[in-house]
Amino acid sequence: MGIKETDQKYIAGTYNRFPVEITHGKGSLVYDENGKEYIDMGSGIGVTAFGIADDIWQQAVIDQIGKVQHMSNLYYTEPCALLAEKLCEKSGMKKVFFCNSGAEANECAIKAARKYSAEKKGGDCFTIVTLINSFHGRTLTTLAATGQEQFHKLFTPLTPGFAYVAAGDVDGLKQIIADTKVAGIMIECVQGEGGVVPLTEEFVKAVDAIAKENDIPLIVDEVQTGNGRTGKFYSYMHFGIQPDIVSTAKGLAGGLPIGATLLGEKVENIFAAGDNGSTFGGNPVSCAAALSVVSRIDDALLDEVAEKSVYIFSELENAKGVESVTGKGLMIGIKTVRPAADVLKDCMAEGVLCLTAKDKIRLLPALNIPMDVLKKAVAVIKEQAGKEA
Ligand SMILES: *Cc1c(COP(=O)(O)O)cnc(C)c1O
């Protein structure tokens, strides 16, 4: 049996894989089992922030693996403390809880909001408001937080205590707060899985103001948008707001599992010993990798992300076969006239790996993708989008 057959026989059927085995890569180039080269415009769904097997990232990981690869949270370790310090410096948040994934970071965010509100407003104040078309993860609680019906069916009953409002519906949000005791409001500033749909500045600011007026913790899910992806360190920074709770994961450790929940002033001391925990949370190798990644996300890199974004928009907006381009920074959705799945398949044949989000092509390239490589990939996408259906 080849790898594909073995995988199909033994791996649970949760993923539809493309008929390609990726064996290795370097930077924004990856290679399949036949040695075919691809430009990686997905970076493992926004994870390999500095590309595949990046030298600086690799050295940080190797150095830490040679010292201590894991230690329980009963003891102090350096990478975890230094990473928390760096994240707080970059974000204005006060404390960090480390875990292993985006869903787990959101679980912690929800626990923090619920504990704050229960202590302040009583145990019946537990409802978390999220947005219709949001995505917050696959655990039963973060599925409940995910405002897309299609993910819910077959897995009910989900965790109770969630209410949904459409992005942009300020009155709807006010109505829920008037009718229900609300413990938290959770948003993505750019809805990633929902089709790379940015929220308007007006709505984000209104949500922030409503949360403040009502003493409701505002949670921003930066799992996909975080760590430089949108051209700011966190996407909420485009709007001049300071959330009470931020969750992040995907690109944070550049390709090793990590999740982080950042607690702002309002909730910085909400957790006491025993309130949350994670065996692998704060793992020294993941944290050393993340420390290296975060240290490299400086103003120069963020400017580069913004410049590359402008380039992609300018090439693809109004291009033949393209209906719209949305997103921020290097998180981009392209609505094509041809079905996105067809465009993606043809791009793959031409050596460019893209993602989809709903009915769009989605691009999440490495933040440091070289300009000449990006240009090649965009030319292929443009050509394939422009083909007759
Ligand atoms: C990917 C994603 C998650 C879930 O992250 P996992 O690491 O897969 O658990 C949560 N929220 C958003 C916005 C995401 O994009």
Side-chain angles (χ1 to χ4, degrees), residues 165-176:
V165 68
D169 185 1
V170 175
D171 291 339
L173 176 60
K174 285 181 180 164
Q175 194 59 53
I176 292 173

Side-chain angles (χ1 to χ4, degrees), residues 92 107 153 180 198 210 234 258 274 277 309 352 358:
E107 292 264 351
K153 59 178 187 209
T180 319
I210 290 167
Y234 287 128
I258 195 168
S309 182
V352 175
K358 287 209 159 160

Side-chain angles (χ1 to χ4, degrees), residues 89-161:
E89 280 171 8
K90 293 224 174 212
S91 66
M93 304 299 280
K94 302 293 180 197
K95 283 195 176 358
V96 183
F97 176 82
F98 286 119
C99 54
N100 312 288
S101 68
E104 208 183 345
N106 282 334
E107 292 264 351
C108 177
I110 292 163
K111 284 176 80 168
R114 281 198 171 160
K115 187 173 179 198
Y116 175 84
S117 296
E119 283 184 350
K120 270 231 139 144
K121 301 178 183 174
D124 60 343
C125 182
F126 53 70
T127 297
I128 307 288
V129 181
T130 66
L131 299 183
I132 293 168
N133 197 45
S134 59
F135 183 85
H136 297 296
R138 302 281 190 165
T139 62
L140 288 171
T141 297
T142 57
L143 267 187
T146 294
Q148 297 189 61
E149 213 47 60
Q150 89 220 44
F151 290 104
H152 291 182
K153 59 178 187 209
L154 306 179
F155 302 113
T156 53
L158 303 176
T159 305

Side-chain angles (χ1 to χ4, degrees), residues 44-355:
I45 316 195
V47 168
T48 47
F50 288 95
I52 306 288
D54 172 80
D55 290 332
I56 299 171
W57 175 87
Q58 230 184 104
Q59 200 54 55
V61 171
I62 290 167
D63 287 350
Q64 185 56 44
I65 280 184
K67 289 181 190 161
V68 52
Q69 80 275 33
H70 175 79
M71 192 33 68
S72 79
N73 278 305
L74 297 172
Y75 308 98
Y76 295 97
T77 53
E78 184 179 275
C80 161
L82 295 185
L83 175 60
E85 176 186 46
K86 189 133 239 142
L87 287 173
C88 288
E89 280 171 8
K90 293 224 174 212
S91 66
M93 304 299 280
K94 302 293 180 197
K95 283 195 176 358
V96 183
F97 176 82
F98 286 119
C99 54
N100 312 288
S101 68
E104 208 183 345
N106 282 334
E107 292 264 351
C108 177
I110 292 163
K111 284 176 80 168
R114 281 198 171 160
K115 187 173 179 198
Y116 175 84
S117 296
E119 283 184 350
K120 270 231 139 144
K121 301 178 183 174
D124 60 343
C125 182
F126 53 70
T127 297
I128 307 288
V129 181
T130 66
L131 299 183
I132 293 168
N133 197 45
S134 59
F135 183 85
H136 297 296
R138 302 281 190 165
T139 62
L140 288 171
T141 297
T142 57
L143 267 187
T146 294
Q148 297 189 61
E149 213 47 60
Q150 89 220 44
F151 290 104
H152 291 182
K153 59 178 187 209
L154 306 179
F155 302 113
T156 53
L158 303 176
T159 305
F162 287 85
Y164 314 97
V165 68
D169 185 1
V170 175
D171 291 339
L173 176 60
K174 285 181 180 164
Q175 194 59 53
I176 292 173
I177 291 169
D179 295 344
T180 319
K181 288 187 132 189
V182 172
I185 303 171
M186 178 148 83
I187 60 170
E188 299 156 90
C189 292
V190 183
Q191 295 183 326
E193 304 303 313
V196 199
V197 184
L199 302 185
T200 64
E201 176 162 10
E202 191 188 1
F203 183 63
V204 173
K205 285 189 161 157
V207 170
D208 180 56
I210 290 167
K212 279 199 173 70
E213 273 162 36
N214 295 280
D215 191 16
I216 297 169
L218 173 62
I219 306 167
V220 178
D221 179 341
E222 296 273 1
V223 172
Q224 190 164 155
T225 50
N227 315 302
R229 176 55 54 191
T230 70
K232 299 267 187 196
F233 190 70
Y234 287 128
S235 68
Y236 68 78
M237 294 170 177
H238 289 284
F239 306 107
I241 64 162
Q242 184 69 40
D244 301 304
I245 305 172
V246 171
S247 57
T248 190
K250 287 195 168 85
L252 177 56
L256 288 179
I258 195 168
T261 310
L262 282 53
L263 306 172
E265 222 172 310
K266 191 192 275 286
V267 295
E268 68 174 305
N269 295 314
I270 198 64
F271 287 132
D275 280 346
N276 209 5
S278 168
T279 298
F280 284 110
N283 172 272
V285 182
S286 290
C287 287
L291 192 55
S292 163
V293 166
V294 170
S295 304
R296 292 165 75 186
I297 305 173
D298 55 12
D299 288 344
L301 182 86
L302 294 174
D303 287 348
E304 234 185 79
V305 168
E307 276 164 34
K308 287 170 190 168
S309 182
V310 168
Y311 174 77
I312 297 172
F313 271 86
S314 70
E315 280 296 305
L316 295 178
E317 262 184 329
N318 308 315
K320 189 172 169 232
V322 173
E323 286 179 0
S324 67
V325 185
T326 56
K328 267 190 176 3
L330 288 176
M331 177 173 178
I332 288 182
I334 306 157
K335 176 86 185 77
T336 50
V337 175
R338 296 172 65 207
D342 294 353
V343 176
L344 179 141
K345 198 164 144 267
D346 292 346
C347 286
M348 189 180 293
E350 295 300 318
V352 175
L353 301 181
C354 301
L355 303 165

